[in-house]
């Protein structure tokens, strides 16, 4: 169980990443969590997650939306197979944060989140960025995927980037000052500090080279934009 990959599925639109997500949740080697309305993805393909948490009323509504009315799919039987936890809407942390904590408790050192970016409520996206930052400080690697963006955070470390001929990447300081920032082999290179009130690292570009972003003291938010 040590070093497992955790796959968390939230309620936001998956879009073009659905095929990649499907390949992951088909695997027996990953720990799969449906976060509230994220159960709809599992229902769609008849895949039972390892865990489901959230408001079970909205979870059930989302599930019903994804069942073909002409099919013989038994929703009650499906839900009965899932280990689940009903959460009160009155709590100190988000459903996604509690899902990450559960994944970590079950031996996941690397986590990917689908359906945690975008959606109608920008506040949830921002909360999830804070969540990725929180766990990056604990040594847990989290990447969040949406149809057009991938988000991750590095703390006092570096990120090697594969060769790409195109695509945008933005780099922001999450701490008041990120010291000793190095950006190499992107269109705009940089050596110095970044602060969290100036967007100096926005809209950089890949240029066909293996690149590297690093920070010696602080946290950086990395956003990949297709």
């Amino acid at each position: 169980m040590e070093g497992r990959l955790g796959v968390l599925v939230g309620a936001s639109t998956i879009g073009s990443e659905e095929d990649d997500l499907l390949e992951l949740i088909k695997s027996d080697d990953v720990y799969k969590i449906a976060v509230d309305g994220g159960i709809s993805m599992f229902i769609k393909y008849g895949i039972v997650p390892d865990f489901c948490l959230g408001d079970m009323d909205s979870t059930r509504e989302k599930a019903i939306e994804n069942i073909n009315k002409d099919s013989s799919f038994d929703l009650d039987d499906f839900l009965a197979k899932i280990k689940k936890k009903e959460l009160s809407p009155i709590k100190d942390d988000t459903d996604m944060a509690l899902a990450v904590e559960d994944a970590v408790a079950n031996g996941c050192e690397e986590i990917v989140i689908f359906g945690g970016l975008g959606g109608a409520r920008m506040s949830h996206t921002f909360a999830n960025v804070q969540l990725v930052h929180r766990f990056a400080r604990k040594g847990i690697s989290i990447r969040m995927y949406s149809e057009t963006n991938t988000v991750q955070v590095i703390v006092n470390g570096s990120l090697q980037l594969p060769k790409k001929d195109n695509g945008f990447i933005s780099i922001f300081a999450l701490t008041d000052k990120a010291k000793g920032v190095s950006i190499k082999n992107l269109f705009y290179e940089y050596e110095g500090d970044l602060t969290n009130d100036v967007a100096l690292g926005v809209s950089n570009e890949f240029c066909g080279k293996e690149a590297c972003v690093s920070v010696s003291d602080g946290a950086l938010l990395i956003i990949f934009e297709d």
Side-chain angles (χ1 to χ4, degrees), residues 54-115:
D55 179 331
M56 289 301 127
D57 288 339
S58 61
T59 296
R60 188 179 180 84
E61 289 172 7
K62 287 289 184 182
I64 292 171
E65 289 173 9
N66 284 272
I67 297 173
N68 187 323
K69 292 183 175 62
D70 297 326
S71 76
S72 59
F73 188 89
D74 189 328
L75 176 60
D76 290 329
D77 180 65
F78 182 86
L79 294 177
K81 296 175 182 176
I82 304 172
K83 177 185 176 184
K84 47 191 174 288
K85 181 176 182 180
E86 185 171 356
L87 300 174
S88 167
I90 303 172
K91 55 186 182 299
D92 293 332
D93 222 336
T94 65
D95 291 355
M96 190 65 76
L98 295 172
V100 170
E101 289 178 358
D102 179 79
V104 172
N106 279 276
C108 298
E109 296 176 1
E110 181 181 357
I111 295 169
V112 293
I113 296 174
F114 291 81

Side-chain angles (χ1 to χ4, degrees), residues 2-207:
E2 184 177 353
R4 298 170 83 184
L5 173 66
V7 179
L8 279 55
V9 184
S12 294
T13 302
I14 306 297
S16 61
E17 298 295 323
E18 184 167 325
D19 287 345
D20 291 337
L21 172 55
L22 179 58
E23 285 303 308
L24 285 173
I25 63 174
K26 281 181 176 178
S27 172
D28 293 330
D29 296 329
V30 302
Y31 184 69
K32 302 175 278 286
I33 302 179
V35 185
D36 202 39
I39 189 65
S40 61
M41 179 70 179
F42 295 93
I43 288 287
K44 181 177 180 180
Y45 293 103
I47 297 171
V48 177
D50 295 294
F51 190 47
C52 175
L53 78 171
D55 179 331
M56 289 301 127
D57 288 339
S58 61
T59 296
R60 188 179 180 84
E61 289 172 7
K62 287 289 184 182
I64 292 171
E65 289 173 9
N66 284 272
I67 297 173
N68 187 323
K69 292 183 175 62
D70 297 326
S71 76
S72 59
F73 188 89
D74 189 328
L75 176 60
D76 290 329
D77 180 65
F78 182 86
L79 294 177
K81 296 175 182 176
I82 304 172
K83 177 185 176 184
K84 47 191 174 288
K85 181 176 182 180
E86 185 171 356
L87 300 174
S88 167
I90 303 172
K91 55 186 182 299
D92 293 332
D93 222 336
T94 65
D95 291 355
M96 190 65 76
L98 295 172
V100 170
E101 289 178 358
D102 179 79
V104 172
N106 279 276
C108 298
E109 296 176 1
E110 181 181 357
I111 295 169
V112 293
I113 296 174
F114 291 81
L117 295 173
R121 299 181 65 182
M122 183 179 174
S123 57
H124 283 200
T125 293
F126 191 77
N128 286 338
V129 169
Q130 287 188 319
L131 173 66
V132 174
H133 181 196
R134 183 203 313 177
F135 280 88
R137 290 189 166 278
K138 298 179 180 181
I140 304 298
S141 172
I142 302 178
R143 290 171 70 94
M144 290 198 297
Y145 294 89
S146 72
E147 186 166 13
T148 56
N149 298 285
T150 303
V151 169
Q152 70 183 104
V153 172
I154 57 173
V155 176
N156 302 343
S158 63
L159 181 64
Q160 302 296 320
L161 304 172
K163 185 186 297 185
K164 287 185 61 177
D165 293 326
N166 52 58
F168 291 97
I169 177 173
S170 294
I171 301 151
F172 302 101
L174 286 176
T175 43
D176 287 346
K177 179 181 284 189
K179 300 177 182 178
V181 174
S182 174
I183 301 172
K184 295 181 178 178
N185 290 337
L186 294 174
F187 186 83
Y188 300 103
E189 296 193 311
Y190 180 74
E191 298 284 342
D193 299 339
L194 292 177
T195 59
N196 64 2
D197 58 356
V198 177
L200 183 62
V202 71
S203 296
N204 209 327
E205 297 180 51
F206 289 93
C207 53

